[in-house]
Amino acid sequence: MSSPPSASASSSPPPCPKKMITLRSSDGATFEIEETAALQSKTLENMIHENCASTLIPVPNITGEVLARVVEFCSKHAEAGVDDESLGAWDEEFVAVDHTTLFDYIRAANFLEIPTLLDLGCQTVADMIKGKTPDEIKKTFKITTACTPEEEEEVRGENQWAFE
Amino acid sequence: MELESVGDLALNLILTKLGPENVGRVACVNRKLRLSADEEALWSRFCSEELHLSAPLDPRGDPLPSFKAAYKKWREDFRMYPWPLVKRVKRCWDRLQGWLLTNFPDAAATLREGASEADIQELESVLRVKLPLPTRILYRFHDGQDFDESDFTENTPGGSLGIIGGYSFYGYVVNVNLLPLSKVIMETNHVVQHLGFSSRSNYIVVAASSTSGEKLFFLNCRDGQLHVGTRNLPFDGEMMPCVPKSLISSVHDRNADLQQDAMLLWLEEHGRRLQSGMIKLREDGGVRSICLFPEEPPLCSTAITNGVRIRSSAVFVPEHSDLQNEYLFAYSIRMSLIPEGCMANEMPCNFCQLYRRHWIIRANDAVVAHVNGDGAIGKSLFMRVALI
């Protein structure tokens, strides 16, 4: 679950002040993030290299609430000297949220191309699905769009082996 | 917000992490999820990971239109068995068959197609036994070996294509093959009649050396152990176990975590030895066969003295041993000249001839025999450095 802090090209020598990037969410809120943490996101990495002058990056697809948490995630994963076990525990708490929020994290991780967050989010959803019947899955995720009885019978027949 | 809203990439990642059974269930939730769950890329990956299939083939090796259809066929055809055990048996056969196809295609060609459930049930009803689970699945993949007339020649009266292989010494030749169910029935009935095995109706004959007919392998269907007949077999049915008993477990229990019987363990070990080169193909008088004399350390020792390389190993011969009195081993000594040649009278030389030899044979550090004399088995080996 943990990833080593991505080595930035500069490998910032300690005495220099850490470069801060500001992100602006879809609803206008701003968040500061260290450059090293921002590099966890491939999308941000590309944008940083393109807009070398400005340090304000708009992130139009993500609301402030979600962006704040994503910034928290990247900062935590960019921290030096955190052992795997405590990072794992931190990750577990991070994803202990309702499934709507979880999907928000996944969408954000997808848009910003943060592999660690995407993997964590998807694994969490997979764990929520494992071992459940289709009805239980529907209930867990409050899925309402269903199939016609004929469709249901057809697909059930195709996948009968998965129930044995 | 629906689950599908996470996007196709994330959905695919979630499904990959779920594995085939759970994906099959997700497909039944709604239309969108069914579409994502039916993606070929997903099933291609499952087929590759679980069955090492790079093309959508059914258990008979016939092509199917999609990986999803292929995976489904495999699960349905083997639905009566614990899936992890099916995968394990497939890996065992893949390894054996892989080695044979590369190194001994004539023998690979003798492997029969899998038996059907009906074939297995027939054997069980005729012989009144219940096959252990791993053995049943082994037969579902390949129903023993088939030979035709041309496999038995003057040089190979008993055949040389047994996939278990054997050894030969002083004109005594052993080559063990796996019997198809039809022969299992025949041989078992024959043995039961002739050796009065009525009290041991749990035993079936699964492998035999067709040369002398002296080496027979019996599977005990009740406890899953494999035995080989000793020289007292014709008199009192004496046999020896082939696999450590502690490894055998849950052979009839579909719900156990791990089922392994001696037949599976034996074939797995055999596959490992072939693949590692511990045992190899040998050619003798133009005939190739799998030879059970070990070729690699620690079971084979090598020493080079003055350019002459000697390799020696031994093989246990249970069918000529008996449990009370003595165990018989056969040894194989191979001599060759290394490419650099040897030194004779301080001159380099690229040939040499064996004049005399003296073997000191030890068992557990105690000397049990000396073999001393001219040549070896009456011949004086002439060795020359091979010209490449």
Side-chain angles (χ1 to χ4, degrees), chain A residues 139-155:
Chain A
K139 229 183 256 162
T140 307
F141 296 102
K142 300 190 180 57
I143 295 175
T144 49
T145 57
C147 334
T148 66
E150 292 83 29
E151 277 176 347
E152 235 184 87
E153 213 184 295
E154 191 196 337
V155 72

Side-chain angles (χ1 to χ4, degrees), chain B residues 10-295:
Chain B
L11 205 45
N12 186 277
L13 185 54
I14 294 170
L15 293 173
T16 306
K17 288 172 182 298
L18 277 176
E21 287 96 346
N22 286 294
V23 171
R25 295 177 194 189
V26 166
C28 299
V29 174
N30 69 16
R31 259 186 226 122
K32 165 66 181 152
L33 287 174
R34 181 184 181 179
L35 270 173
S36 303
D38 277 359
E39 262 176 44
E40 264 300 89
L42 202 55
W43 293 100
S44 161
R45 186 185 171 133
F46 292 148
C47 282
S48 169
E49 280 172 359
E50 301 210 337
L51 298 165
H52 301 285
L53 290 175
S54 49
L57 303 173
D58 74 6
R60 295 232 164 271
D62 297 325
L64 284 170
S66 68
F67 279 105
K68 178 159 161 63
Y71 191 89
K72 175 174 181 246
K73 187 81 172 72
W74 275 87
R75 293 301 297 252
E76 286 174 350
D77 276 7
F78 287 97
R79 59 154 53 96
M80 60 292 286
Y81 301 114
W83 184 241
L85 188 57
V86 175
K87 289 190 278 186
R88 179 175 172 180
V89 170
K90 181 175 197 299
R91 279 196 301 276
C92 175
W93 274 121
D94 279 352
R95 178 182 246 153
L96 275 169
Q97 198 172 17
W99 186 91
L100 289 169
L101 286 168
T102 309
N103 299 284
F104 201 8
D106 287 344
T110 66
L111 274 177
R112 305 182 80 228
E113 269 193 356
S116 65
E117 282 296 309
D119 294 332
I120 293 173
Q121 271 148 33
E122 197 200 315
L123 175 139
E124 291 187 325
S125 120
V126 167
L127 295 179
R128 280 172 297 158
V129 292
K130 200 163 163 289
L131 289 189
L133 283 173
T135 298
R136 288 182 71 119
I137 307 176
L138 282 164
Y139 274 105
R140 283 288 310 273
F141 277 88
H142 290 287
D143 183 17
Q145 296 184 259
D146 236 350
F147 301 107
D148 58 51
E149 290 299 305
S150 63
D151 292 328
F152 302 96
T153 67
E154 218 183 289
N155 279 341
T156 62
S160 58
L161 301 177
I163 65 172
I164 304 298
Y167 35 83
S168 76
F169 47 89
Y170 302 132
Y172 171 68
V173 181
V174 163
N175 189 266
V176 177
N177 54 66
L178 294 179
L179 302 183
L181 294 181
S182 54
K183 289 229 174 77
V184 170
I185 295 177
M186 261 170 47
E187 282 296 321
T188 303
N189 280 333
H190 176 88
V191 159
V192 161
Q193 250 179 33
H194 281 75
L195 303 188
F197 261 28
S198 50
S199 60
R200 297 202 193 188
S201 57
N202 278 307
Y203 288 92
I204 62 174
V205 180
V206 292
S209 173
S210 38
T211 39
S212 355
E214 284 176 46
K215 190 164 188 181
L216 291 172
F217 286 87
F218 297 84
L219 180 69
N220 180 321
C221 291
R222 194 185 38 81
D223 66 14
Q225 175 61 284
L226 190 67
H227 299 259
V228 61
T230 68
R231 74 166 165 224
N232 287 333
L233 180 71
F235 313 116
D236 60 16
E238 186 181 64
M239 38 175 98
M240 293 184 64
C242 300
V243 168
K245 187 171 164 186
S246 56
L247 294 177
I248 300 175
S249 69
S250 313
V251 302
H252 288 292
D253 183 0
R254 277 180 173 80
N255 298 320
D257 279 336
L258 182 71
Q259 299 94 345
Q260 41 192 40
D261 65 17
M263 190 86 179
L264 176 60
L265 291 162
W266 191 57
L267 288 175
E268 283 179 333
E269 177 62 22
H270 189 62
R272 277 194 290 269
R273 290 189 186 189
L274 284 170
Q275 207 164 62
S276 69
M278 173 67 74
I279 56 183
K280 291 188 164 99
L281 216 50
R282 273 212 212 172
E283 192 166 318
D284 194 2
V287 174
R288 299 201 306 162
S289 64
I290 292 175
C291 178
L292 296 177
F293 281 108
E295 305 246 355

Side-chain angles (χ1 to χ4, degrees), chain A residues 61 99-111 118 122 125 141-143 145, chain B residues 1-12 14 30 32-33 36:
Chain A
N61 294 34
H99 68 259
T100 312
T101 314
L102 193 54
F103 296 166
D104 286 335
Y105 291 168
I106 294 176
R107 271 194 300 276
N110 202 1
F111 175 72
L118 184 64
C122 291
V125 174
F141 296 102
K142 300 190 180 57
I143 295 175
T145 57
Chain B
M1 268 284 183
E2 306 283 358
L3 178 54
E4 307 92 76
S5 68
V6 296
D8 287 333
L9 183 73
L11 205 45
N12 186 277
I14 294 170
N30 69 16
K32 165 66 181 152
L33 287 174
S36 303

